[in-house]
Amino acid sequence: MAVVGLFVIAVLFALYFGRDVLLPIMLALILSFLLRPLVRALYRARVPEGIGAAIMVITLFGGVLLAVYTLSGPAAEWVNRMPRVMHELEFKLGDIRAGIDRAREASRQIEQITKESGNAAGPVREVVVRGPTLMEQAVSQVETVLANVVILLVLLYFFLARGRNSLEALIGTMRNVDDRVHYAMVAATLQQNIAAYLLTITLINAILGLATGLVMWLWGLPNPALWGVMVALANYIPFIGPAVMTGVFFLVSVLTFDGIGTIILPPLSFVALTTIEGNFLTPMIVGRRLSLNPIAVFVSILFWGWLWGIPGALLAVPILAILKILFDAHEPLKPVGALLGE
């Protein structure tokens, strides 16, 4: 038990402090599952795997750049409006602001009493710790993001171009023929099921984002395309993503409309769309074969979000699906796989 406990602690330590390296590797691996069928289709059309992998990586990178360029204008507009937005929120949410002001005043009085008590005992020295400036933090974050993007694209290319050959070489080292057949079938099942799962979830999120953008446009909310894309991305994080977007729609409605009846219509419409998606669309398309236990999904989101932040929360469900397939493929771990499934 002690050895197992130390091993678990060591794994958590490695996952947490090695996230800068492990995160792009995991993201590239999951994207390779999604794009591998397309590379295989190009290979059947007599396009070499290396060229097909390059085409997929360039297409993915170009699509992301195009989406960022298209949505950067509305996003920058909201960022520039943020001071005015906060002022409007304080004005429209007057009762809440009054409560906050009373709390601030009470806090200020407590702080004043503490200072007076400290001065009675003697002079108090104040130590100020200066951290990096905002510009230095921004430059550091940009450098980290660019480095991770480069690592991700390079790893994704090699996974797509050489992943099959590397896997075949690894399986070929096994002396037992039954082991070769077993692990070849496990690899094929993993590739097929994860690709199907990611494709269906991406399709569902795209439909939900498109429907949300259309509904917000009908209600007259500004920048409906931006909200549709944000919903499509946030829906990769079940439970938490839709809840956050409901709050976002409420705040945007408060800033856009005046009457309470009009303010609640956009968030209520989004709640209705996510309810239809979660209870009817996703079960119908995904099916029971790839369905996951909601408790396991929520715990996985909390765990990977704690380890790797927002990127970890985005990868939590695909990682859980991979683990379920691997557990189902090994007899001693099948009970755990059944627990992760629905």
Side-chain angles (χ1 to χ4, degrees):
M1 291 292 294
V3 172
V4 172
L6 290 175
F7 176 75
V8 171
I9 293 174
V11 170
L12 293 176
F13 184 91
L15 289 174
Y16 183 77
F17 289 99
R19 59 186 179 274
D20 292 338
V21 176
L22 297 176
L23 184 58
I25 294 176
M26 184 59 66
L27 183 55
L29 180 62
I30 292 175
L31 286 175
S32 69
F33 285 131
L34 178 62
L35 299 177
R36 181 66 193 169
L38 299 177
V39 175
R40 192 162 52 243
L42 291 175
Y43 181 75
R44 287 196 295 265
R46 299 184 182 278
V47 177
E49 285 188 326
I51 298 177
I55 292 174
M56 289 297 102
V57 171
I58 293 173
T59 302
L60 176 66
F61 184 64
V64 172
L65 283 183
L66 179 61
V68 170
Y69 176 77
T70 304
L71 299 174
S72 59
E77 180 183 348
W78 279 98
V79 171
N80 294 331
R81 286 180 53 191
M82 195 56 63
R84 185 158 58 90
V85 165
M86 298 303 297
H87 178 72
E88 293 178 5
L89 282 176
E90 289 182 358
F91 177 75
K92 292 190 174 183
L93 304 177
D95 295 337
I96 299 177
R97 183 187 63 177
I100 294 175
D101 290 340
R102 288 194 296 269
R104 287 178 177 175
E105 180 62 23
S107 176
R108 188 190 65 80
Q109 292 177 359
I110 293 174
E111 183 180 355
Q112 184 66 29
I113 294 173
T114 303
K115 286 184 178 180
E116 291 176 356
S117 300
N119 291 333
V124 178
R125 294 184 179 181
E126 183 177 358
V127 179
V128 179
V129 179
R130 298 187 181 275
T133 63
L134 183 61
M135 181 59 68
E136 292 173 347
Q137 294 179 6
V139 171
S140 176
Q141 290 295 325
V142 170
E143 291 177 351
T144 302
V145 170
L146 290 178
N148 286 335
V149 168
V150 172
I151 294 172
L152 169 64
L153 294 177
V154 173
L155 284 174
L156 179 59
Y157 171 78
F158 283 119
F159 280 145
L160 292 174
R162 302 294 303 173
R164 181 176 61 86
N165 295 333
S166 300
L167 182 61
E168 290 177 354
L170 178 62
I171 294 176
T173 59
M174 300 178 182
R175 297 182 178 180
N176 193 318
V177 177
D178 293 336
D179 289 341
R180 293 184 188 179
V181 174
H182 173 72
Y183 285 105
M185 292 180 63
V186 170
T189 303
L190 185 65
Q191 168 65 63
Q192 181 181 359
N193 289 354
I194 294 300
Y197 179 80
L198 293 176
L199 183 60
T200 52
I201 292 299
T202 301
L203 177 62
I204 291 170
N205 292 349
I207 294 174
L208 179 63
L210 183 62
T212 302
L214 179 60
V215 170
M216 297 308 156
W217 174 74
L218 292 175
W219 287 128
L221 226 62
N223 309 119
L226 176 63
W227 309 127
V229 173
M230 288 182 63
V231 165
L233 293 176
N235 205 50
Y236 281 102
I237 308 177
F239 312 122
I240 298 176
V244 171
M245 289 307 303
T246 302
V248 169
F249 284 128
F250 176 75
L251 293 178
V252 174
S253 297
V254 169
L255 297 172
T256 306
F257 308 114
D258 293 325
I260 186 64
T262 311
I263 287 174
I264 64 173
L265 287 177
L268 284 181
S269 301
F270 176 68
V271 170
L273 289 175
T274 55
T275 301
I276 295 172
E277 175 266 327
N279 292 280
F280 299 100
L281 185 61
T282 298
M284 181 179 63
I285 296 179
V286 174
R288 296 190 61 85
R289 183 169 57 92
L290 294 175
S291 60
L292 298 171
N293 190 335
I295 299 176
V297 170
F298 191 74
V299 172
S300 178
I301 293 172
L302 293 179
F303 176 75
W304 292 106
W306 167 67
L307 279 179
W308 292 347
I310 294 178
L314 288 171
L315 297 176
V317 179
I319 292 175
L320 184 64
I322 292 173
L323 292 177
K324 182 185 183 317
I325 294 172
L326 292 177
F327 291 159
D328 289 340
H330 294 81
E331 193 65 31
L333 298 176
K334 276 189 176 181
V336 181
L339 183 63
L340 299 180
E342 186 175 4

